[in-house]
Amino acid sequence: MKNILSKIFALSTSVKIKLLVLLGLLIWFYFSLPSKLFQAPTCYVIEDKDGNLLNATIAADGQWRFPYNKNVPQKFIDCITTFEDRRFFKHPGVDPVAIGRAVIKNIKNKGVVQGGSTISMQVIRLSNRNDKRSIWNKLKESILAVRLELSYSKKNILALYASNAPFGSNIVGLDAAAWRYYGRSADKLSWGEMAALAVLPNAPALVHPGKNRNVLLKKRNTLLDNLLQAGKIDKAAAELAKLEPLPDEPYRLPQNASHLLQRFIKDNKTWKQETKIKTTLDGNLQKNVGIILQQHQSVLKGNGINNACALVLDVETGNTLAYVGNIKDAANKEMEADVDVIAAPRSPGSALKPILFASMLSDGLILPNSIIPDIPTQIGSYSPKNFDLSYDGAVPAGRALARSLNVPAVKMLQQYKYQRFYETLQQTGITTLNKNADFYGLSLILGGCEVTMWDLAGVYASMARTLNHQTKNHGKLDAKDFHAPNYIAAKDTVSSIQHPVSGIPLDATSIWFAFQAMQDVMRPGEEGLWQQFSSSQKIAWKTGTSFGFRDGWAIGLTPKHVVAVWVGNTDGEGRPGLVGIQTAAPILFDIFRMLPNSKWFEKPKYNFVYVPVCRQSGYRANIDCPDVDTLFMPPNAIKVALCAYHKIVHLDATGSFRVTEACESPSAMQHKSWFILSPAMEFYYKQRNIDYIPLPLFKPGCAFAETGKLIEIIYPQPDAKIYVPLEINGERGKTVFTAAHRRAGAKIFWSIDDEFVGSTQNFHQLGLNPSPGKHILTLVDENGISVSREFEILEKENTLSK
C-alpha cells in the first residue's frame, strides 16, 4: 500500500489531476442514481385475498397511477420489448445498434422518425419527468441507463417501466391502464388487448383510445405481426387478436369496498407503507353482503331508516372477510352513504350483556342459572326499565341474557361494579371508552357508552377464538387470542397492527356458557317473532337497541365466523321500530346463510368443576335446598354464594299453617324447606310462575312471630324524584304508589307525612296526588309492622333524572 501511494505522489501534477477527475466521475456515476427513482404520488389501491381489485382512489396529482408492481405479465414483456427494445435483454442499458439504425433512418427521412432509446433510458426519462429531446439529455439518459442496469435486474427495470409509463389521458402504468381500458387486471388481458396497450407509451398524446383509432389499430396490428415474426405467438393467435375491438371510453374502477379503502388511507397515515395492499376480504362475499344490505335498506328507508353496515370476521385469524361500512347511494348526499359506520362510535344497546355475564361467571359471582331480581329499581336518579316495561320478580341469569332484560343486567353490574366492567371492556379490546368509569356508571351495560363495530366484533371473535383453543391450551387462557381484527393479508403487516391485550378476566368455560345462553333468541315482547330466524346451524347471537331507537344491532357467531350488523341513521335520528331484532337480525341471518356451516363449540375439557346447585335458585346448594343437581360449571363456581332463598319453616301437622313452639308441640310439627322471595320479588314472580307457593299463614291462635321483610314498598324507590305531568284537562295527574305484603289478604294502611290517605287489601296500589315538595310515605299493617320511605314531588320536570 505504501508503494502504491509513493508511486501516486511521484506522478506529475497533470496526471494527478486526471486521476482526481476520473475518481470524481466514478463517484458521481455511483451516486448519480437516486435511491428512489419515482416520487410521484400513487393511487390507494386495495385488492381482495385473491388479488382482485376492490377499490382505488385517484392519486393526489389527479393521475390514475397504481403503485409499483414487481410482477409484469409475460405478454406485456413480449409486446413491449418487441415494440420498443428488441435487444433489451442483451444490451447494458444503451443499444448502439438501435442508435445507429435510428440515425440512418432519420437521415433518410430528413427528420426524427425513430428514436434509439432503450427501455432503460425511457425509465430514466420518466423518472426525471423530462420530455425535452436534446443531445445532452440523450447523453445523460444513456449514462444513467447504464448505471440503472448495474443496480437493477432486467425484470425490475421492466417493472419500473410498466408501473410508470404513460398510457394516455391521466392514466399512468400498466395496471391502471388495464383496469381503466378493459375493466380487469393486466394478467388477464388477451394478446390483442395487451398489444394495444403496449403501443400507447410510445405516443400517448397522439394515440388515444377513443380517437385516432385508425392509427392505434395500425400500430397494434403491426406489433402483432412482429410478435408472430418473432415467434412469440402463432398465426391463429395473431389473426384472432387483430379481430379484437379497440378500447372505448375508460371504465369506472370497481367500488366494492369504499369504506375499507377509507380505513386503509387513514391507517396508512400512521403506518406510512405502500399505498396498495392485498386485503383478507373474500371478494364474492363482500359483493353479496353489500347486495343484502341494499335489499333490506330499500325496505327500511320507508320508515326513515337510511343506513346499514355489516362486518364478517374469520374467528381463527381475526381476518376480515367482508367490510361493508354503509349502503351505496353516492347520488343522494342526504343518505350520508360515504360515512364508514363500522369505524364510527355508536351506542351498543344491550350488545355488551354477554361480556358481563361471562365476566361474572369467570369471577365466581353467579352461576348460569342464578336468579337475579327483576323488580322496579331506582339507583339515585337512574331508573332502568325492561324493553316491554314488565317484570319477572326473579329470573335466571342465563334467561335474563337470552331475553335481554335490562333490570337484571343493571342488578348484575351493580354486583360486579361498573368500574371493574369498564376495565374488563378495555382489557378485551374496546378502545372508545374515552371518559372515566364514573361518567358512564351503571348505564354502561345498557348502551350508555359508545363502541365501534370493529371493536365489538373483535371482542366476540376473540372470545370465540379462546373457546376454540381451550383444548389445545389445556384450559389455560392465551392472552394472544384476544386481539383486534385484521384486514391486511401480508403476515408481516398483521403483526404490526394486532395488539394483544393482557389481564383478560374471562375463562373458556364461562365463555362457553355465555354462548349457550345466546343461542336462545327469544326477546321480551318478541316471543313469536324469533321463530322466523331459525337456522340450520347453531348460532350464538345478541341484539341491541340504543336509547331513543337510534341504533339497531345484531351480532352473531359460530366457531368459524363472527357477523355484526348495524342499522340506523348516521345523523343519529331515532325512528319507531328501529330495534335490533326487527331491523338488524334479519340481515344477520341472511348473511349467515351464505357462510359454510360449522360444528358447535366443543364443551370444555379443562378448567371446570362440578358443583351442587340448587335447582330453584341456581346458586350453590345449601343444606336446606330440597332439589340439588351436581352440574358442570366454570372453575370459580366454588366461590359462588350459597343459596339464600331456601329456609326451614315449621308447619302444623296438616302442613297448612306455620306454627311456633308456643302454640304447637315440636313433636307435631312438620319441618319443610321453603323457597322464599322478598315481598317485591314475590309480587311479580308469582304472576309468571303459577307453581310458586307463598309462605303459609300462621295458625290461628299462634302469637305473631313473623321474621324477615314482610312489607316492601315497590314504588317509589328511596329518595325518588317524581314529576307528575298535567292531564289533557289541565289538572295534574296522580302517582300510583305500589307495595307488596308477604301475607295474602293482609291489610295495609297508607299515610303521607303522618296523614292517613287510604288502605288496601290483597292488591296494594293507591293513586295519590301529593303536593310538590319532599314527603314521607308510611305503610302499617294490622299487626303494627311498618315501613317508611322518603320521596319528592317536582314542580317542573327534571330532565337530568329521566
Side-chain angles (χ1 to χ4, degrees):
M1 186 68 180
K2 289 182 179 179
N3 292 334
I4 294 173
L5 290 173
S6 63
K7 289 180 180 180
I8 291 175
F9 285 119
L11 294 172
S12 64
T13 302
S14 61
V15 174
K16 289 179 182 178
I17 292 173
K18 291 177 181 178
L19 287 175
L20 287 173
V21 171
L22 178 61
L23 179 61
L25 290 173
L26 289 174
I27 293 173
W28 173 85
F29 181 73
Y30 182 81
F31 290 104
S32 61
L33 201 67
S35 59
K36 188 174 181 181
L37 285 172
F38 294 92
Q39 303 289 340
T42 56
C43 303
Y44 275 91
V45 180
I46 58 174
E47 299 175 337
D48 69 10
K49 64 183 180 65
D50 298 317
N52 300 310
L53 182 65
L54 289 171
N55 247 95
T57 62
I58 198 165
D61 61 355
Q63 303 293 305
W64 285 105
R65 184 189 298 106
F66 281 22
Y68 170 79
N69 185 356
K70 66 179 181 180
N71 299 313
V72 182
Q74 187 59 46
K75 286 180 183 177
F76 183 75
I77 294 174
D78 291 340
C79 287
I80 201 64
T81 53
T82 301
F83 184 73
E84 290 280 3
D85 193 352
R86 294 186 181 184
R87 288 168 40 81
F88 174 74
F89 290 102
K90 297 179 181 179
H91 62 66
V94 177
D95 187 0
V97 175
I99 293 175
R101 185 172 58 246
V103 169
I104 295 172
K105 194 167 186 178
N106 291 338
I107 292 173
K108 287 182 177 180
N109 289 275
K110 297 180 181 181
V112 179
V113 295
Q114 181 176 334
S117 295
T118 63
I119 290 176
S120 301
M121 292 171 67
Q122 292 183 51
V123 168
I124 295 299
R125 186 175 71 250
L126 291 170
S127 68
N128 292 332
R129 293 189 172 187
N130 187 358
D131 293 329
K132 187 176 179 181
R133 297 190 178 187
S134 66
I135 295 176
W136 167 248
N137 284 338
K138 283 289 182 182
L139 178 61
K140 185 179 177 182
E141 289 171 8
S142 300
I143 295 172
L144 292 178
V146 174
R147 178 65 186 87
L148 179 70
E149 296 266 353
L150 295 175
S151 296
Y152 291 83
S153 68
K154 291 288 188 179
K155 194 172 183 180
N156 287 339
I157 293 171
L158 281 170
L160 287 170
Y161 179 83
S163 297
N164 295 280
F167 283 84
S169 185
N170 65 339
I171 301 170
V172 178
L174 175 64
D175 288 340
W179 278 105
R180 290 288 281 158
Y181 292 140
Y182 293 107
R184 54 185 180 276
S185 60
D187 60 336
K188 294 181 174 63
L189 298 182
S190 65
W191 279 109
E193 293 166 339
M194 192 66 83
L197 293 184
V199 303
L200 285 180
N202 181 258
L206 175 63
V207 186
H208 185 288
K211 63 181 181 180
N212 302 315
R213 300 181 68 80
N214 291 333
V215 180
L216 175 59
L217 181 64
K218 182 179 179 181
K219 281 181 171 286
R220 184 199 70 173
N221 290 347
T222 299
L223 174 56
L224 290 170
D225 290 335
N226 292 337
L227 288 169
L228 173 62
Q229 186 178 1
K232 302 294 185 182
I233 57 176
D234 58 30
K235 186 174 182 179
E239 293 301 322
L240 288 172
K242 290 180 181 180
L243 297 176
E244 294 183 36
L246 295 175
D248 288 313
E249 290 297 320
Y251 286 86
R252 289 178 57 87
L253 295 187
Q255 300 289 314
N256 296 324
S258 57
H259 300 98
L260 183 59
L261 181 62
Q262 286 181 28
R263 187 182 197 102
F264 171 51
I265 293 172
K266 182 179 179 181
D267 289 343
N268 205 42
K269 291 179 181 178
T270 302
W271 301 339
K272 299 186 185 304
Q273 298 181 359
E274 291 294 329
T275 60
K276 178 182 178 181
I277 57 167
K278 178 182 284 189
T279 70
T280 59
L281 265 59
D282 181 318
N284 290 329
L285 181 63
Q286 174 76 8
K287 291 178 183 177
N288 289 331
V289 170
I291 291 171
I292 289 173
L293 283 180
Q294 292 295 129
Q295 290 173 341
H296 282 270
Q297 191 270 341
S298 65
V299 177
L300 293 169
K301 68 181 180 182
N303 185 30
I305 302 173
N306 298 326
N307 306 102
C309 68
L311 179 67
V312 182
L313 302 180
D314 175 75
V315 167
E316 180 61 26
T317 60
N319 287 343
T320 305
L321 303 181
Y323 188 112
V324 183
N326 210 326
I327 60 163
K328 284 186 177 181
D329 196 351
N332 190 346
K333 296 298 182 183
E334 293 183 359
M335 290 292 189
E336 297 184 345
D338 58 318
V339 176
D340 179 10
V341 187
I342 291 176
R346 306 287 304 195
S347 168
S350 299
L352 301 178
K353 290 177 181 176
I355 304 173
L356 175 63
F357 179 80
S359 298
M360 295 188 72
L361 291 178
S362 296
D363 206 43
L365 294 175
I366 59 170
L367 298 178
N369 288 316
S370 296
I371 59 172
I372 308 297
D374 182 22
I375 57 177
T377 300
Q378 183 160 337
I379 304 165
S381 62
Y382 183 55
S383 181
K385 300 287 191 298
N386 290 327
F387 184 81
D388 61 357
L389 303 180
S390 67
Y391 301 96
D392 280 27
V395 62
R399 176 58 58 183
L401 173 60
R403 292 175 54 199
S404 198
L405 297 176
N406 292 336
V407 174
V410 171
K411 292 284 189 181
M412 290 167 66
L413 183 57
Q414 195 176 19
Q415 181 182 0
Y416 188 73
K417 306 302 180 187
Y418 66 79
Q419 297 90 341
R420 189 173 183 195
F421 188 56
Y422 175 90
E423 294 178 355
T424 296
L425 293 175
Q426 290 181 321
Q427 290 168 336
T428 52
I430 301 298
T431 63
T432 51
L433 302 178
N434 300 320
K435 307 289 185 179
N436 60 41
D438 292 334
F439 176 83
Y440 303 108
L442 293 172
S443 69
L444 197 62
I445 195 60
L446 301 182
C449 62
E450 290 185 331
V451 303
T452 65
M453 179 181 286
W454 184 254
D455 284 353
L456 188 62
V459 171
Y460 279 103
S462 296
M463 291 169 68
R465 191 179 306 115
T466 297
L467 188 51
N468 285 341
H469 292 173
Q470 55 89 20
T471 300
K472 179 184 73 173
N473 295 334
H474 300 284
K476 295 181 180 179
L477 182 69
D478 185 355
K480 293 181 180 179
D481 284 338
F482 273 79
H483 58 73
N486 168 61
Y487 62 86
I488 300 181
K491 293 182 179 179
D492 56 338
T493 308
V494 172
S495 62
S496 69
I497 65 173
Q498 292 184 345
H499 304 288
V501 291
S502 59
I504 308 299
L506 300 174
D507 65 76
T509 308
S510 298
I511 293 172
W512 184 80
F513 274 107
F515 291 170
Q516 290 293 108
M518 289 168 67
Q519 282 190 81
D520 187 346
V521 297
M522 293 177 65
R523 296 293 185 268
E526 313 287 346
E527 286 81 1
L529 186 63
W530 71 275
Q531 297 178 11
Q532 67 177 292
F533 304 135
S534 61
S535 176
S536 59
Q537 63 175 327
K538 289 185 177 181
I539 298 171
W541 64 291
K542 183 74 186 71
T543 60
T545 303
S546 68
F547 177 78
F549 302 101
R550 294 182 175 91
D551 305 89
W553 290 83
I555 187 162
L557 56 92
T558 67
K560 296 292 185 183
H561 301 102
V562 169
V563 177
V565 176
W566 173 91
V567 172
N569 290 306
T570 55
D571 60 5
E573 180 187 357
R575 298 297 302 169
L578 206 174
V579 294
I581 195 169
Q582 295 177 359
T583 58
I587 300 174
L588 177 88
F589 281 88
D590 278 352
I591 294 173
F592 264 115
R593 290 186 187 98
M594 293 191 300
L595 299 174
N597 288 0
S598 61
K599 295 181 180 179
W600 187 240
F601 294 99
E602 184 181 16
K603 189 175 182 179
K605 296 180 179 178
Y606 300 92
N607 208 23
F608 62 87
V609 293
Y610 280 92
V611 175
V613 178
C614 175
R615 190 176 301 170
Q616 286 78 22
S617 72
Y619 285 91
R620 280 198 306 133
N622 66 22
I623 58 174
D624 296 330
C625 291
D627 303 309
V628 178
D629 301 307
T630 301
L631 301 176
F632 172 90
M633 287 290 154
N636 280 331
I638 56 176
K639 299 179 181 179
V640 175
L642 294 174
C643 173
Y645 295 95
H646 277 100
K647 295 178 181 178
I648 297 296
V649 297
H650 309 295
L651 306 175
D652 66 0
T654 66
S656 302
F657 296 97
R658 279 185 291 165
V659 294
T660 66
E661 59 182 5
C663 62
E664 189 83 9
S665 170
S667 61
M669 292 181 185
Q670 295 185 38
H671 308 287
K672 286 189 176 182
S673 177
W674 211 275
F675 181 55
I676 305 173
L677 299 173
S678 72
M681 292 170 67
E682 182 182 90
F683 176 76
Y684 293 100
Y685 187 83
K686 64 186 180 183
Q687 297 176 34
R688 293 181 177 267
N689 298 271
I690 59 175
D691 57 342
Y692 177 76
I693 304 175
L695 277 172
L697 299 174
F698 271 93
K699 187 175 181 179
C702 276
F704 182 73
E706 286 278 13
T707 59
K709 187 182 289 186
L710 301 180
I711 308 176
E712 190 168 0
I713 298 176
I714 298 175
Y715 186 83
Q717 294 293 307
D719 300 314
K721 290 179 172 54
I722 304 169
Y723 172 73
V724 183
L726 298 177
E727 300 288 349
I728 194 169
N729 59 6
E731 297 181 0
R732 194 169 299 279
K734 292 186 176 183
T735 302
V736 178
F737 294 82
T738 307
H741 198 289
R742 167 99 49 211
R743 181 163 50 87
K747 193 171 186 179
I748 295 179
F749 301 93
W750 300 65
S751 63
I752 293 181
D753 302 329
D754 295 329
E755 181 179 342
F756 178 74
V757 293
S759 63
T760 56
Q761 191 169 11
N762 294 317
F763 191 70
H764 303 294
Q765 283 190 337
L766 201 62
L768 302 172
N769 188 8
S771 61
K774 293 184 177 181
H775 302 278
I776 298 177
L777 173 68
T778 303
L779 278 61
V780 183
D781 70 1
E782 309 104 310
N783 296 310
I785 305 298
S786 66
V787 62
S788 297
R789 179 158 297 169
E790 293 186 5
F791 67 94
E792 181 180 359
I793 298 295
L794 301 176
E795 179 72 35
K796 296 181 179 180
E797 185 175 11
N798 184 356
T799 57
L800 295 178
S801 65
K802 290 183 72 175

